[in-house]
Amino acid sequence: MLFDTHAHYNDKKFDGDRGAVLSSMEQNGIGLIMNACSDTSEIPDIIALCEKYSFVYGAAGVHPHEAEKMTANDFDKIKAAAAHGKIKAIGEIGLDYFYDFSDREIQKQRFAEQVELAKELHLPVIIHDRDAHKDTMDILRACNVRDCGGVFHCYAGSAETAREILDWGMYIAFGGSLTFKKSVRPREVAAYVPLDRAVTETDSPYLAPEPQRGRRNDSRYMHFVAAELARIKNVPYKTVEAITFENGKRLFGI
């Protein structure tokens, strides 16, 4: 079985067939799913999915796109959500300088505040880092992220920088981009990161792997990612499946 450590099943793209898709996971080799959060308005729907499906767990947090809208009430909502037994992480949180939907200084402030909250709540963080690698690393370093740990979602940095992330006790997540024909850096990172610190993800409904690229993504396509990771590591598929599943459980305390 595989663990999809990052998906968004509350997304409206699943409104037409969410139940059918999630009900088919076990027969397609998907054992666990972490449903990440982008805004506190999503928390009730994420918790509802967690309560309906035994294999779905959730996170609570505010994505950098929404950082400018974040208020003290949002921090209260995250704290309240964290009391639910199936909310296992704070995220996704971080910085996004590609779209710049929120002011960069506000992004940095809200990111640091949420890392500190994760430490207070003893939960790992799910990191979003797009075109903001230096500032992301500086903030995590300053906040001493090793005190809570977590995972770099859709990691796009170098193998050299991954070394420091691993030193912090964090995990690196590999998703659809690992399978893209021109994705050189993700394959270099996958070759470098020890298998016991790697996890698999989809970012559903986004970033579908080859050969499904361009379609709506879901966890059932994650075997393409696991197969590519097995090829890079030169180990059997079942080895990747077993180790990354246990890594995901350890990461989120499941």
Side-chain angles (χ1 to χ4, degrees):
M1 303 293 272
L2 291 166
F3 188 161
D4 184 351
T5 59
H6 196 108
H8 297 275
Y9 281 103
N10 55 295
D11 191 283
K12 63 183 180 181
K13 290 182 175 66
F14 290 110
D15 283 354
D17 61 352
R18 183 178 292 106
V21 170
L22 286 170
S23 295
S24 70
M25 289 301 164
E26 184 176 2
Q27 69 194 59
N28 283 279
I30 306 300
L32 291 171
I33 294 170
M34 169 56 66
N35 200 102
C37 182
S38 298
D39 183 82
T40 58
S41 64
E42 299 177 357
I43 290 174
D45 289 338
I46 291 172
I47 288 177
L49 288 172
C50 291
E51 292 179 343
K52 184 172 182 179
Y53 300 97
S54 62
F55 56 89
V56 175
Y57 289 81
V62 175
H63 190 286
H65 288 346
E66 311 300 328
E68 285 188 349
K69 304 173 188 176
M70 197 173 183
T71 67
N73 189 44
D74 289 303
F75 287 94
D76 291 339
K77 289 179 179 179
I78 294 169
K79 287 182 181 180
H84 191 284
K86 293 193 76 178
I87 297 297
K88 296 292 188 178
I90 301 302
E92 63 189 279
I93 63 174
L95 303 174
D96 194 311
Y97 294 173
F98 181 81
Y99 287 109
D100 275 328
F101 287 161
S102 289
D103 176 82
R104 292 185 179 186
E105 291 305 312
I106 294 175
Q107 286 189 52
K108 289 191 284 187
Q109 179 182 347
R110 297 308 186 210
F111 178 28
E113 290 169 344
Q114 290 185 88
V115 174
E116 293 297 335
L117 180 59
K119 290 162 59 178
E120 176 188 334
L121 297 171
H122 305 291
L123 290 174
V125 288
I126 299 172
I127 302 299
H128 175 104
D129 166 20
R130 188 164 190 189
D131 288 2
H133 204 62
K134 182 183 184 302
D135 284 350
T136 298
M137 294 295 287
D138 285 347
I139 288 169
L140 292 175
R141 207 176 285 119
C143 291
N144 198 19
V145 71
R146 67 172 67 247
D147 287 348
C148 61
V151 59
F152 262 73
H153 151 63
C154 257
Y155 179 70
S158 66
E160 181 179 0
T161 302
R163 183 181 299 114
E164 184 173 13
I165 293 168
L166 297 175
D167 285 345
W168 292 336
M170 298 182 75
Y171 292 79
I172 304 287
F174 297 98
S177 61
L178 187 66
T179 71
F180 297 166
K181 294 174 182 177
K182 296 183 179 180
S183 290
V184 175
R185 179 171 279 186
R187 291 188 175 93
E188 291 175 348
V189 173
Y192 171 75
V193 172
L195 198 51
D196 64 0
R197 303 296 288 284
V199 293
T200 52
E201 66 173 8
T202 60
D203 201 22
S204 299
Y206 311 103
L207 284 176
E210 299 285 359
Q212 306 296 329
R213 193 173 183 183
R215 303 182 185 182
R216 184 191 71 178
N217 198 10
D218 72 58
S219 305
R220 295 172 296 183
Y221 296 152
M222 199 166 57
H223 66 274
F224 292 113
V225 176
E228 180 62 14
L229 188 55
R231 186 195 67 78
I232 292 167
K233 290 296 191 184
N234 194 29
V235 298
Y237 175 90
K238 287 292 185 181
T239 299
V240 167
E241 185 179 53
I243 292 176
T244 58
F245 188 83
E246 291 303 318
N247 291 347
K249 288 174 63 179
R250 190 179 313 111
L251 162 64
F252 295 121
I254 297 172

